[in-house]
Structures are given as structure tokens and as C-alpha cells.
Amino acid sequence: MSDYEVTTLAKARSSYRWLVLLNCIHPFGYGAFAVVLYEFVLIAIAENDIAFATGIWGAANVIGKAVRIIISPIIGQVVDTLGRRKMFMINFASAILLVVLIFFIPSPGTFFLGIILDNLLNTPDVPTMATIADIGMVYAFHKDDKGDKKVVPEGETSNSTAASTSASASALSCVSVKQRMAVETTKLFGHMSACWVLATGVMTVASAIMIDINKSAALDELELLLNSTTSAKNNSTNNSTTDCKDEQLELTTIDYLNPVVFMCIGFLLAGLGLTIFFITESKDWDKAIFKKDVTAGTNKNLGVVDSVRFILTSPWLSCLAFGLIFVEGCQIGTISGLYFFMKYQFNSTATEFSLVLLWALFCTAVANTAGLKFFVKRLGLWPALYMSCFAGAIGLTVIGLAGQLGSGWCFVGISASLFNVAKPILRGKFCAEFSNDEQGKAQGCLYVALSFGGMLGTFLATSLLTFAIYAETGVEDIKTDCALEGERTLLSGLSFFSLSLLSLLGFAFALFAKTKEPLEDVANRNVGY
């Protein structure tokens, strides 16, 4: 290897370590704020009307996803033009701005504006995936410290291949550069996702515990104040409405969320500082390693229509994109509806919800690391995708039935995330179709697909849950009984049943996608996992 190649490999390894840290700090900050948002919307905006809170949460996020569909291709071009580092700086700065805007200027208008800004600017996944693709490309052309065989560019041969007596080493040496990059990018994305989801889960639980402790203390103070000033009125209050009264008192005490909000801002500021001083640019790493013939206009700006057309011109990219739409729809829909579903069905606290979310994120982390390698190696690439879709459908159905079976079944349904290996595989293969200097464009196009999926899943989960709450509880009774009365039927699980059907559609589409896989990828589709 040349000195440049050695230096680039060292930079790639160092950058990946800093990137992991950066993707842990971001959920420490903004991920914790998501728990605040659930409480904030329910109390400060919806005034304890769970159906209205679910509806406004769904509407804001659907609008946000629609905005992201429009802006994603532009963000991809910005990542390619400005670089990954500057985009990370914009992400952290915008996250701080929207936290301040939403929480310290509370109103429905600022909430919707904050969600729109979130989807416009706070998109760390785009530069993260672009950087991972850069690193994966470098890894694909070098030996690692363990002495793995260097990948041979298409059309060349390797001297070490002939000398090797190991069948596995020989197979690895013959893998195309594109296939090897898909493998490396998938592995890196899987490990990065594991770090991100675990950081999100741990911080979500910690934030939820802080919120419940502060909320309980605020309620105790208000109860003491109320008892000392209006004891006669309290004595005449029916016991069945006491809880609802407490909930109404919370409307004036959202200050109990302040400690978590300030903690979020602190982590986001730390992430901004880390980006400024330690993150290096990576988009030009491969220019001295490969000879590329980039024709004029390759990186032209793509709008939404251009991005959709660009994806649809390739049957293979279309298959990958639609597969990601279904997978993302199930995941985002579950996250969007689960908090309000548990609040409605079981009157769950923020801590109880965060524990379920932590388990979901832990299962996802296991799937994206050990599970990814195990299932692809044991079953093969496409069977692993089929299994992931079936497991998702079963798990979502169980969550929908949890209202009848008990809150513990939410954990059982979420356990299906242990088999969720579809997303890293699909994203890895999608990224492998683009060179380093086009990874921003690739991520922009990819984010259009993911935003479509997120919008679809959010709409199904929140709109159907809102309908079910109104149908089961009654429009006029929701605020008077805090949505805790009324017969619970299978109707309240309709949102998760619909997501289950979405997962089955993903399975059907995976069957079709297999027929469109390029011939050059078929022979080595499982090599290197």
C-alpha cells in the first residue's frame, strides 16, 4: 500500500470511532427530548385529551415527513458539496434551536414549526450514512490488522488468491469491489445502529425516570397547596375524579420537565463542540485510491421528482427503496403510536413506556450486530429478509392484542425486533451502488424513500388509534374521565394490525425484489457477512 492509502485507512478507523461517539451524544441530547415531547404534547397542547394528543402528534409528524421528502435530495447534495462535517454542525445547531423553540415558546404553532425545522435540518442520519459509506469504501480496498485478503477490483486478479489454500479466503478475494463495499457498509451500519439505539434507550429510561420523579414531586406540592386552600371543595370531590383533577393541575406545572430539557441542550452543545474540533472530512478519501471517470452532471441537484425518477429508472434500486419504505413504515409507525397506545390502554407512566422502548432498542441492537451476521450466514440473505418481515408482522399483531392480553405482551411483541435485520441489509446494498463522491446524493434519494415509509407508518398508527379512542371512549367523555374509562376492544389495536399488514406487504415485495437482483451480486450475496 502507498503512504496515502495507509494514511487514509488510519483516518477511516479514527473517523469511525469519533462517529460512533457522535452518534451516541446526539441521542443523549435529542433522543431524551423525545420523551419530553410526549408529555409536553399531552399536557401543554392537548390538555390531557389522549385522542387529540395522538392526532396532533401524528399530524405534526406526517407534515414533518412530507417536508423531509421535499428537502432530502437537497440535503444529500449539501452533504456532497459542503461535506459531512459541516452538515453535522448544522444538525446539532438546529437541534438546539428547535428544543428552545418548542419548549420555551409553547404553543401549537411553535410545536408544528419545531417539527418542520427538525425534519428540515436535524438529519444526522444523512451525513452519518454518507461517512459510513466512505469508510466502507476504504475498508473494501485494504487489509485490516487481522490480515484479511485485500479485495481485488473487478477485472483484475489477486496473487494471494492463487497461493491461498483456504476456500473462504479465495471466495473473499474474488468478491467484487461493489459487493465488498456492500458488506462493509452493512456491517458498519449495523454496529453504528446498535450504538445509537442503545444510547437512545439508556437515555430515554434515564430521562423518563427523571420526569416521573419531578412530576410526582410537583403533584405532591400542588396537592398540599390545594388541600390547604380548598379543603372543603376537595372533601366534596368524588374519588373517581381525583386522578383527573391531578392531571388538570399538571397543566400549570410543566416546569418539572426543565431539568431534562437543560440536560438535552447540554449534550447537544457537547456534540456540536465534538463536531467542530474532532470530526474530519471524508468525502475525498478515495480520489487517490481509485481511478474514477465521473462524467459532467453526475452530481447535479436532484429534486423530489428527480430523485423518485432516478430510483425508478433502476429496477434494482426501486426494489431496495420500496423494501425500505415498508420496513421504515413499520418501525416509525410503532414508535409514533406506542406511547399513546400504552397511555390509553394501561395509563402507563413515562418510565414504563421507556422500559418497553429500551427493550425494543436493545433487541434492535442485537439484531443489527450478532443477529445480522448469524441469520445471513445461517439462512442466506433473502431468507433473512423474509424472516424479518414475518417476525415483524407477528410482533405487531401481538402488540395490537396487548390491550386484551395485558401490558406484559407489549414486551413479547417488541421482542420481534430481535429478528429485524432487513434495514441494514437493504441500506448497505443501496449505498454500494454509488461512489464516495455520490454518497450524499444516494442518502438524499434514500431518505425520500424512508420519509415516505415514515409518513405512511405514522399516519396509519396515529390516525387509526385516534379513531379507536374516540369510538371506544366517546368524544365528550375523554376529558372528563381522562380516557381511562370506557370498554377496551380489539379496535384499539387496529393501528398495530395495519402495521402488521404493512410488514406482510414487505415480505411480498421482497419475493419480487429477489428476481431483480443484478447477476454480479447473486453469486457472492452472502460472502463476507
Side-chain angles (χ1 to χ4, degrees), residues 65 321-337 392 396 420 423 426 448-462 495-496 498-504 506:
K65 296 299 181 185
F322 277 103
L324 282 166
I325 286 175
F326 293 123
V327 172
E328 186 77 355
C330 293
Q331 293 181 0
I332 299 301
T334 301
I335 295 173
S336 298
L396 289 166
N420 184 17
K423 190 172 179 179
L426 291 171
V448 171
L450 293 175
S451 297
F452 268 117
M455 186 168 63
L456 175 62
T458 298
F459 174 77
L460 288 175
T462 56
S495 57
F496 291 98
S498 67
L499 295 178
S500 177
L501 292 176
L502 201 63
S503 187
L504 290 178

Side-chain angles (χ1 to χ4, degrees), residues 465-529:
L465 181 58
T466 300
F467 166 75
I469 294 174
Y470 279 135
E472 291 181 349
T473 309
V475 176
E476 299 298 328
D477 296 333
I478 287 180
K479 295 182 70 173
T480 59
D481 63 9
C482 297
L484 299 179
E485 303 296 332
E487 182 181 1
R488 301 295 190 267
T489 66
L490 288 175
L491 189 63
S492 59
L494 185 61
S495 57
F496 291 98
F497 298 148
S498 67
L499 295 178
S500 177
L501 292 176
L502 201 63
S503 187
L504 290 178
L505 284 175
F507 165 72
F509 201 86
L511 289 174
F512 173 73
K514 184 179 180 181
T515 65
K516 300 298 181 181
E517 186 177 17
L519 293 178
E520 63 190 50
D521 293 344
V522 172
N524 297 309
R525 63 165 60 118
N526 302 323
V527 176
Y529 283 94

Side-chain angles (χ1 to χ4, degrees), residues 196-515:
W196 185 88
V197 298
L198 287 177
T200 301
V202 170
M203 202 59 199
T204 298
V205 173
S207 301
I209 292 174
M210 290 177 61
I211 289 173
D212 284 341
I213 291 175
N214 294 335
K215 184 177 182 180
S216 178
L219 277 174
D220 290 341
E221 290 180 5
L222 288 173
E223 185 177 5
L224 289 174
L225 178 63
L226 186 64
N227 287 335
S228 63
T229 56
T230 58
S231 57
K233 183 178 179 179
N234 281 341
N235 290 334
S236 63
T237 301
N238 191 300
N239 290 335
S240 64
T241 61
T242 300
D243 291 337
C244 198
K245 173 65 84 176
D246 290 341
E247 294 288 341
Q248 292 173 347
L249 288 174
E250 290 179 337
L251 296 176
T252 61
T253 58
I254 58 171
D255 288 344
Y256 69 88
L257 298 173
N258 282 344
V260 178
V261 172
F262 288 129
M263 179 181 65
C264 294
I265 294 175
F267 277 115
L268 291 173
L269 286 172
L272 181 60
L274 177 65
T275 303
I276 293 173
F277 295 107
F278 296 100
I279 298 299
T280 59
E281 189 51 62
S282 62
K283 67 173 183 175
D284 297 327
W285 281 351
D286 66 341
K287 287 188 176 179
I289 301 178
F290 326 112
K291 292 182 179 180
K292 298 181 300 182
D293 181 17
V294 182
T295 58
T298 299
N299 283 314
K300 66 178 182 178
N301 292 330
L302 297 178
V304 178
V305 176
D306 292 327
S307 294
V308 173
R309 186 183 296 116
F310 178 77
I311 293 174
L312 293 179
T313 53
S314 168
W316 176 232
L317 289 181
S318 300
C319 292
L320 296 176
F322 277 103
L324 282 166
I325 286 175
F326 293 123
V327 172
E328 186 77 355
C330 293
Q331 293 181 0
I332 299 301
T334 301
I335 295 173
S336 298
L338 187 60
Y339 174 83
F340 297 108
F341 175 78
M342 293 182 63
K343 189 74 174 177
Y344 172 64
Q345 289 284 3
F346 316 114
N347 194 28
S348 299
T349 64
T351 301
E352 291 169 337
F353 163 74
S354 68
L355 289 174
V356 174
L357 184 60
L358 176 63
W359 176 241
L361 294 173
F362 172 78
C363 292
T364 301
V366 173
N368 285 338
T369 51
L372 179 65
K373 183 176 181 179
F374 176 81
F375 290 124
V376 173
K377 183 177 180 180
R378 297 287 182 179
L379 302 178
L381 179 65
W382 290 105
L385 289 175
Y386 304 153
M387 174 206 64
S388 182
C389 293
F390 265 118
I394 295 172
L396 289 166
T397 301
V398 171
I399 295 175
L401 294 172
Q404 307 296 312
L405 302 176
S407 60
W409 286 90
C410 288
F411 282 93
V412 177
I414 288 295
S415 298
S417 298
L418 283 168
F419 304 93
N420 184 17
V421 298
K423 190 172 179 179
I425 294 175
L426 291 171
R427 291 193 73 156
K429 281 194 162 291
F430 193 95
C431 292
E433 300 298 318
F434 300 84
S435 61
N436 276 37
D437 65 334
E438 291 185 312
Q439 282 302 318
K441 181 177 74 174
Q443 297 309 315
C445 294
L446 191 58
Y447 246 66
V448 171
L450 293 175
S451 297
F452 268 117
M455 186 168 63
L456 175 62
T458 298
F459 174 77
L460 288 175
T462 56
S463 61
L464 292 177
L465 181 58
T466 300
F467 166 75
I469 294 174
Y470 279 135
E472 291 181 349
T473 309
V475 176
E476 299 298 328
D477 296 333
I478 287 180
K479 295 182 70 173
T480 59
D481 63 9
C482 297
L484 299 179
E485 303 296 332
E487 182 181 1
R488 301 295 190 267
T489 66
L490 288 175
L491 189 63
S492 59
L494 185 61
S495 57
F496 291 98
F497 298 148
S498 67
L499 295 178
S500 177
L501 292 176
L502 201 63
S503 187
L504 290 178
L505 284 175
F507 165 72
F509 201 86
L511 289 174
F512 173 73
K514 184 179 180 181
T515 65

Side-chain angles (χ1 to χ4, degrees), residues 20-36:
V20 170
L21 180 59
L22 194 69
N23 276 267
C24 289
I25 291 179
H26 188 274
F28 272 20
Y30 190 68
F33 186 65
V35 184
V36 173

Side-chain angles (χ1 to χ4, degrees), residues 20-62:
V20 170
L21 180 59
L22 194 69
N23 276 267
C24 289
I25 291 179
H26 188 274
F28 272 20
Y30 190 68
F33 186 65
V35 184
V36 173
L37 280 180
Y38 286 123
E39 292 278 319
F40 177 82
V41 171
L42 182 60
I43 295 173
I45 297 181
E47 300 181 355
N48 290 312
D49 185 335
I50 295 182
F52 180 63
T54 305
I56 199 170
W57 179 269
N61 280 277
V62 167

Side-chain angles (χ1 to χ4, degrees), residues 95-116:
I96 295 171
L97 174 63
L98 71 91
V99 168
V100 173
L101 178 66
I102 291 176
F103 188 77
F104 295 103
I105 313 176
S107 72
T110 54
F111 173 69
F112 274 87
L113 179 59
I115 295 298
I116 291 174

